[in-house]
Amino acid sequence: MTAAPDQTLVLRPRLQRADEALRPTRAEIDLEAIAHNYRVVSEVAGPAKVLAVVKADAYGHGVVPVARRLQQEGARGLCVALAEEGLELREAGIHTDIVVLNGAYGHAHGEVLAAGLTPVVYDIAQVEAFAAAAGGRAFGVHLKVDTGMARLGVPLAELGRFLERFGAIPGARIDGLMTHLACADSDDGFTAEQLQRFTRAQHVVRAHGHRPKVLHAANSAATFRHPSSRYDLVRCGIALFGFPNAPGVEAALRPAMRLRSEVVALRWLEPGAPVGYDGTFRAARRTLLATIPVGYGDGLMRMGSNRGAALLRGRRAPIVGNISMDLTTLDVTDVPGVAVGDEAVLFGSQRGPDGELARIDATEVAEACGTIPYEVLCAISRRVPRFYGPGPASRS
Ligand SMILES: Cc1ncc(COP(=O)(O)O)c(C=O)c1O
């Protein structure tokens, strides 16, 4: 994969190209796939605009290069979870709107306002702290109401009281009103109830004299599945990285991360021989075992031990034995011609010797591990260097 100038290399920042990397394990991030997914989401959401959710290091893809590409693509704004994440983006020169979904903890209120970040508030003490930091100047917030997620947000029953107190805080202005949907990909009835409560919240907010400029509720799944949830803005994360959470959309989106390593050792096992910690796998036949230098220290889910697979020469090789911190073992008996140095793809696509494209995607990994693709992507740790460019992750 060719290198882009804004690549992030955590372990050896002076290295510029994938072929200079010291370890063969790396994540290849396809920024063109992210831009493509952004365009797909924008088209579906329109006339609503897209706030690109890039919290948690852009779901493991590396927040600065991803945010730059999305800003270039014209994203209406970005969402992060933490003030620190927003400040990191400002320091990197990102100038588009940034909404801080979880508000501000600690004493960062002044910094949040000074950096021009838009805080989400759900507690009156937060608004008071922003007002104190603003020192009499006007400031805008997005107000979050809880319509059924029961995590953050002013409960509907307390909204009137909250707004009375809000009205007494000098300078505070509600620019946005938002909620978060709990079951947009799984329960249409519950989603409809949440949206009804959100409508009630809008009436209460207006009755108290506030005129929010924007309303937003939809995540990726809601954007695709619930048109009435789109309002003015949609907050999409996982769809930008290629996972739609809605049936029928898979074909339109392209996974943006490819996790690859290489075979560093090969050995033959006799029938009955155990593999790895606790010997959880025993060879049932004469077995060719390949070792790849990637493990749970890199964020590979240990739950994938004896369940997952990797691609080698376009074929699936099962993960056998327990995944350890730095190393994983594969049964490559059925991979003709396998050799030390061969590429092993943990997720993403790979072309076999016959030219056919094989693929394992993060959803498959997640299913094997009893989790969701979000966790599979976010888990890839900082010791896995990310390389950016258009690449095999999106080729099909
Ligand atoms: C408040 C909020 N909005 C939007 C999103 C984006 O969700 P998704 O990645 O499913 O699009 C998240 C992510 O968890 C979130 O917490």
Side-chain angles (χ1 to χ4, degrees):
M1 169 174 264
T2 51
D6 56 2
Q7 64 183 257
T8 306
L9 266 176
V10 176
L11 291 182
R12 298 286 297 231
R14 71 186 174 76
L15 298 178
Q16 292 298 306
R17 298 199 318 268
D19 58 10
E20 289 179 326
L22 296 187
R23 69 185 301 219
T25 300
R26 53 184 179 259
E28 296 172 345
I29 312 296
D30 185 346
L31 293 175
E32 289 319 304
I34 295 172
H36 163 87
N37 297 334
Y38 170 80
R39 291 192 289 268
V40 170
V41 169
S42 298
E43 201 160 308
V44 169
K49 300 279 184 245
V50 179
L51 290 178
V53 181
V54 295
K55 58 190 177 146
D57 205 25
Y59 293 40
H61 294 66
V63 72
V64 171
V66 169
R68 282 197 186 126
R69 188 67 189 85
L70 289 166
Q71 183 171 267
Q72 206 183 330
E73 208 54 42
R76 159 71 176 70
L78 304 170
C79 291
V80 293
L82 308 175
E84 291 88 326
E85 294 175 322
L87 295 171
E88 182 188 353
L89 288 173
R90 286 287 185 251
E91 277 158 24
I94 300 294
H95 50 73
T96 189
D97 285 359
I98 299 177
V99 177
V100 183
L101 293 172
N102 293 5
Y105 310 118
H107 305 283
H109 304 84
E111 253 188 290
V112 166
L113 296 181
L117 305 175
T118 304
V120 169
V121 297
Y122 44 85
D123 183 318
I124 205 68
Q126 295 168 318
V127 188
E128 287 164 352
F130 280 115
R137 285 187 303 276
F139 63 96
V141 299
H142 286 204
L143 172 61
K144 184 168 194 172
V145 290
D146 179 15
T147 55
M149 182 78 173
R151 206 175 54 168
L152 295 179
V154 181
L156 212 45
E158 293 167 25
L159 188 56
R161 173 86 189 106
F162 176 94
L163 291 166
E164 278 161 29
R165 295 179 67 188
F166 189 100
I169 298 175
R173 188 182 65 235
I174 298 175
D175 284 343
L177 183 64
M178 64 175 286
T179 193
H180 193 43
L181 301 172
C183 310
D185 55 348
S186 58
D187 188 336
D188 293 351
F190 191 74
T191 302
E193 281 172 34
Q194 280 202 267
L195 294 174
Q196 279 162 14
R197 287 184 208 119
F198 191 45
T199 303
R200 287 214 295 281
Q202 291 160 41
H203 292 316
V204 178
V205 166
R206 289 202 188 96
H208 281 78
H210 301 280
R211 298 284 175 268
K213 289 180 273 204
V214 287
L215 304 177
H216 47 110
N219 56 7
S220 297
T223 300
F224 287 106
R225 291 172 48 123
H226 303 287
S228 67
S229 72
R230 292 178 195 144
Y231 301 101
D232 303 296
L233 302 171
V234 298
R235 303 185 305 266
C236 290
I238 198 74
L240 299 176
F241 306 109
F243 298 92
N245 255 354
V249 194
E250 290 85 351
L253 299 175
R254 298 192 208 151
M257 189 193 293
R258 180 176 187 268
L259 181 65
R260 57 89 74 196
S261 187
E262 281 171 21
V263 175
V264 292
L266 281 170
R267 75 200 63 237
W268 280 100
L269 299 179
E270 294 306 319
V275 175
Y277 285 119
D278 302 324
T280 58
F281 175 84
R282 278 180 190 272
R285 56 175 176 170
R286 204 162 175 264
T287 297
L288 184 57
L289 194 75
T291 303
I292 55 175
V294 57
Y296 62 78
D298 300 299
L300 194 64
M301 300 269 144
R302 188 171 178 277
M303 190 63 97
S305 303
N306 295 307
R307 295 181 189 198
L311 300 173
L312 276 105
R313 297 185 176 233
R315 302 232 181 166
R316 275 165 186 260
I319 295 174
V320 292
N322 279 347
I323 291 173
S324 47
M325 192 182 292
D326 318 300
L327 299 165
T328 294
T329 39
L330 306 168
D331 179 349
V332 294
T333 318
D334 299 326
V335 181
V338 65
V340 167
D342 277 0
E343 180 188 72
V345 173
L346 283 311
F347 54 82
S349 61
Q350 186 188 56
R351 225 169 259 293
D354 51 3
E356 271 177 37
L357 198 72
R359 183 186 291 279
I360 292 178
D361 75 23
T363 304
E364 182 186 332
V365 176
E367 276 164 12
C369 298
T371 184
I372 51 177
Y374 299 69
E375 188 182 6
V376 171
L377 298 172
C378 287
I380 303 308
S381 73
R382 62 183 287 275
R383 80 173 185 179
V384 177
R386 271 73 167 168
F387 286 88
Y388 295 89
S394 80
R395 274 183 220 143
S396 54

